[in-house]
């Protein structure tokens, strides 16, 4: 029971931290990650909150991923999109709602801080090996169905989101490139540390 509680804590804490990082990258106004730019573009074009679009797109991807991989829908992933969506709105609308950055240096610092925070969050939420964020599930579904490498599948899903974001007028910019290049190494850096921390807590039973 204690092990499950610890894993649940890492999972939920990771998602909440990811939501904070995503908010900071959007607020940096230098360009958001491709999928986040899609959600911002939808908000600007249609309405609803960014977090609501996270949940809508996530729900659509849960069904799509199941069809691509020829598997049952990953229903527990609903928890992932609900937590992410609700907390992105919390950080965007409650905590950082008045944050407006003017100086390029401050925008850059906020972007880098957002990337680091996302990486920490991803490292935490991946440790328990629970359901993936449907965006990550999209990549895995392509890998399973067509035998693509993770790199190729990731490139395809990110490229799809990038084109969609451009069509919707989402915030694509230099920050998008920085996120694309920087997020992987950052996650790799924090992953072993998060793994060590969780395993140490579990071993302390």
């Amino acid at each position: 029971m204690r092990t499950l509680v610890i894993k649940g804590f890492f999972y939920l804490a990771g998602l909440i931290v990811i939501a904070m990082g995503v908010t900071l990258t959007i607020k940096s106004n230098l360009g958001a990650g491709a999928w986040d730019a899609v959600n911002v573009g939808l908000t600007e074009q249609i309405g609803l909150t960014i977090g609501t679009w996270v949940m809508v797109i996530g729900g659509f991807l849960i069904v799509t991923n199941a069809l691509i991989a020829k598997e049952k829908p990953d229903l527990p992933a609903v928890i992932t999109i609900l937590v992410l969506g609700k907390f992105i709105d919390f950080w965007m609308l409650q905590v950082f709602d008045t944050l407006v950055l003017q100086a390029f240096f401050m925008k850059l610092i906020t972007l880098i801080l957002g990337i680091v925070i996302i990486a920490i969050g991803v490292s935490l939420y991946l440790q328990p090996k629970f359901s993936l964020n449907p965006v990550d599930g999209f990549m895995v579904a392509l890998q399973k169905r067509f035998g693509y490498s993770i790199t190729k599948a990731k490139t395809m899903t990110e490229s799809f989101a990038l084109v969609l974001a451009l069509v919707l007028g989402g915030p694509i910019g230099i920050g998008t490139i920085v996120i694309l290049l920087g997020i992987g190494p950052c996650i790799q850096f924090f992953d072993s540390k998060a793994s060590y921390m969780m395993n140490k807590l579990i071993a302390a039973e």
Side-chain angles (χ1 to χ4, degrees), residues 11-189:
Y11 186 71
L12 292 175
L15 293 173
I16 293 168
V17 171
I18 290 170
M20 179 182 179
V22 166
T23 300
L24 289 175
T25 59
I26 293 171
K27 284 288 188 176
S28 75
N29 207 28
L30 290 177
W35 286 100
D36 300 320
V38 169
N39 295 321
V40 174
L42 285 166
T43 294
E44 292 176 349
Q45 294 294 331
I46 299 175
L48 305 179
T49 64
I50 295 171
T52 299
W53 283 114
V54 168
M55 291 184 275
V56 171
I57 296 293
F60 175 77
L61 284 177
I62 287 173
V63 176
T64 302
N65 296 345
L67 293 173
I68 292 172
K70 294 184 176 180
E71 296 175 349
K72 291 181 179 179
D74 183 15
L75 295 181
V78 171
I79 297 171
T80 309
I81 57 175
L82 286 176
V83 174
L84 276 176
K86 292 294 185 183
F87 274 92
I88 285 174
D89 281 349
F90 170 73
W91 294 117
M92 284 290 296
L93 304 175
Q94 303 295 326
V95 180
F96 298 114
D97 59 320
T98 59
L99 179 65
V100 179
L101 303 169
Q102 301 295 339
F104 176 78
F105 177 73
M106 290 306 299
K107 291 180 178 181
L108 184 61
I109 291 295
T110 303
L111 174 68
I112 293 171
L113 184 61
I115 292 171
V116 171
I117 290 173
I118 290 172
I120 292 171
V122 171
S123 298
L124 292 173
Y125 116 94
L126 287 179
Q127 297 312 314
K129 294 180 172 55
F130 291 165
S131 290
L132 292 173
N133 175 0
V135 169
D136 297 325
F138 188 21
M139 170 189 70
V140 173
L142 289 174
Q143 182 198 23
K144 285 181 178 179
R145 177 69 180 272
F146 302 108
Y148 296 148
S149 66
I150 284 291
T151 301
K152 184 174 182 180
K154 181 68 171 175
T155 301
M156 290 177 67
T157 58
E158 289 297 314
S159 298
F160 171 74
L162 185 63
V163 171
L164 192 55
L166 287 169
V167 170
L168 291 167
I172 297 296
I174 185 65
T176 309
I177 306 301
V178 175
I179 292 168
L180 187 62
L181 296 176
I183 195 70
C186 280
I187 292 170
Q188 188 172 355
F189 176 78

